[in-house]
Amino acid sequence: MDFLMSGLAAPGTYQRHYRNVFHAFITIGRVDGLAALQKGLAPALLYQFLMNGIRLGTYGLAEAGGYLHTAEGTLSPVRSAAAGALAGVMGAYLGSPIYMVKTHLQAQAASEIAVGHQYKHQGMFQALTKIGQKHGLVGLWRGALGGLPRVIVGSSTQLCTFSSTKDLMTQWEIFPPQSWKVALAAAMVSGIAVVLAMTPFDVVSTRLYNQPTDAQGKGLMYRGLLDALLQTARTEGIFGMYKGLGASYFRLGPHTILSLFFWDQLRMLYYTYTK
């Protein structure tokens, strides 16, 4: 049972509760109620505030300081990707306990449609307190190292793609100078790129965070990121690494587009009125 509840099983050997993202909406709403579609909202908002505040703020400082450009003044994709990765690591590690609790809460469901281990938390603060009391401060960061590659890949892809696409569009003069359309188009390209790059790591990090643990807080199904990747690929194949791709885009696509677009426009306003 633990084998199946961990989310690791060969295709065709388990019951599929959700055929796609739209079927999941309907099933969860019908069985658990419409409010269940917003499970984990509080920790999700708090995590995004912490992680993206640190991530985008740090990357913005690096860009404003000229660290992302070469001596000739052109954007360096390598420096951009490295800065995005470093900024993502800082934000994700500090917000890891909140992300873990978010994962636990969102995985909770009625028994007939439950997938993965069920923790039965009553809320964000109760979950943080319970985990801290049972496993100590270290337990709050369980799965953090396994989740960092997810953010390294996602943040570097997102910010590098966004900056590079903006730079190219400006050089090619596709839109008028300083047009908001440049940022919007670049954010749309970045949204597609980040979903393709991040989904396999999303699948694995979710399993690391949500796996059952022993009394010492050690995971019972996976020893770490590499073990989870190998087990998933071996048991479920390449498509197992892209489970929930549609749902990932519906979450990450609009989030990437809106966050990068408004971040860019707010920075432009800031530089316009502070110079």
Side-chain angles (χ1 to χ4, degrees), residues 21 33 60 99 113 126 129-130 209 239 251 254:
V21 63
Y99 187 88
I113 60 169
Q126 181 270 343
T129 302
K130 181 180 177 181
Y209 277 120
F239 292 109
R251 179 177 70 87

Side-chain angles (χ1 to χ4, degrees), residues 181-228:
K181 296 177 183 177
V182 176
L184 181 61
M188 292 174 69
V189 173
S190 180
I192 296 173
V194 73
V195 170
L196 292 175
M198 204 170 177
T199 296
F201 295 92
D202 245 343
V203 170
V204 171
S205 67
T206 297
R207 293 182 177 188
L208 287 171
Y209 277 120
N210 201 52
Q211 66 176 319
T213 60
D214 59 19
Q216 287 72 45
K218 184 179 179 181
L220 297 176
M221 296 306 305
Y222 311 106
R223 294 189 298 273
L225 175 70
L226 183 59
D227 182 50

Side-chain angles (χ1 to χ4, degrees), residues 8-229:
L8 183 66
T13 63
Y14 56 90
Q15 181 182 359
R16 291 184 62 189
H17 296 299
Y18 313 115
R19 293 193 293 272
N20 52 56
V21 63
F22 300 109
H23 181 251
F25 281 139
I26 295 170
T27 302
I28 294 170
R30 175 174 52 81
V31 177
D32 269 349
L34 293 177
L37 293 170
Q38 296 292 347
K39 277 184 179 178
L41 179 62
L45 291 174
L46 180 56
Y47 174 74
Q48 292 300 332
F49 176 79
L50 287 172
M51 195 270 283
N52 279 312
I54 296 170
R55 186 174 70 93
L56 296 179
T58 302
Y59 185 85
L61 289 173
E63 188 173 32
Y67 298 110
L68 308 186
H69 293 77
T70 64
E72 292 75 28
T74 58
L75 179 74
S76 168
V78 175
R79 294 184 186 181
S80 178
L86 180 60
V89 165
M90 293 170 58
Y93 190 78
L94 291 174
S96 183
I98 307 298
Y99 187 88
M100 178 173 63
V101 169
K102 176 192 77 75
T103 302
H104 290 178
L105 290 171
Q106 291 179 336
Q108 292 178 185
S111 58
E112 58 263 41
I113 60 169
V115 176
H117 186 71
Q118 301 289 292
Y119 276 91
K120 304 298 183 183
H121 296 313
Q122 301 303 311
M124 178 176 66
F125 294 111
Q126 181 270 343
L128 288 169
T129 302
K130 181 180 177 181
I131 295 170
Q133 290 175 343
K134 187 176 181 180
H135 301 300
L137 191 62
V138 175
L140 290 171
W141 267 267
R142 178 175 62 83
L145 294 180
L148 288 183
R150 164 188 176 272
V151 181
I152 290 173
V153 171
S155 184
S156 61
T157 300
Q158 183 192 66
L159 293 174
C160 179
T161 304
F162 177 70
S163 296
S164 298
T165 304
K166 264 190 65 183
D167 195 52
L168 286 174
M169 287 185 172
T170 301
Q171 291 179 31
W172 295 342
E173 299 181 348
I174 297 176
F175 299 110
Q178 305 301 316
S179 172
W180 57 268
K181 296 177 183 177
V182 176
L184 181 61
M188 292 174 69
V189 173
S190 180
I192 296 173
V194 73
V195 170
L196 292 175
M198 204 170 177
T199 296
F201 295 92
D202 245 343
V203 170
V204 171
S205 67
T206 297
R207 293 182 177 188
L208 287 171
Y209 277 120
N210 201 52
Q211 66 176 319
T213 60
D214 59 19
Q216 287 72 45
K218 184 179 179 181
L220 297 176
M221 296 306 305
Y222 311 106
R223 294 189 298 273
L225 175 70
L226 183 59
D227 182 50
L229 281 168

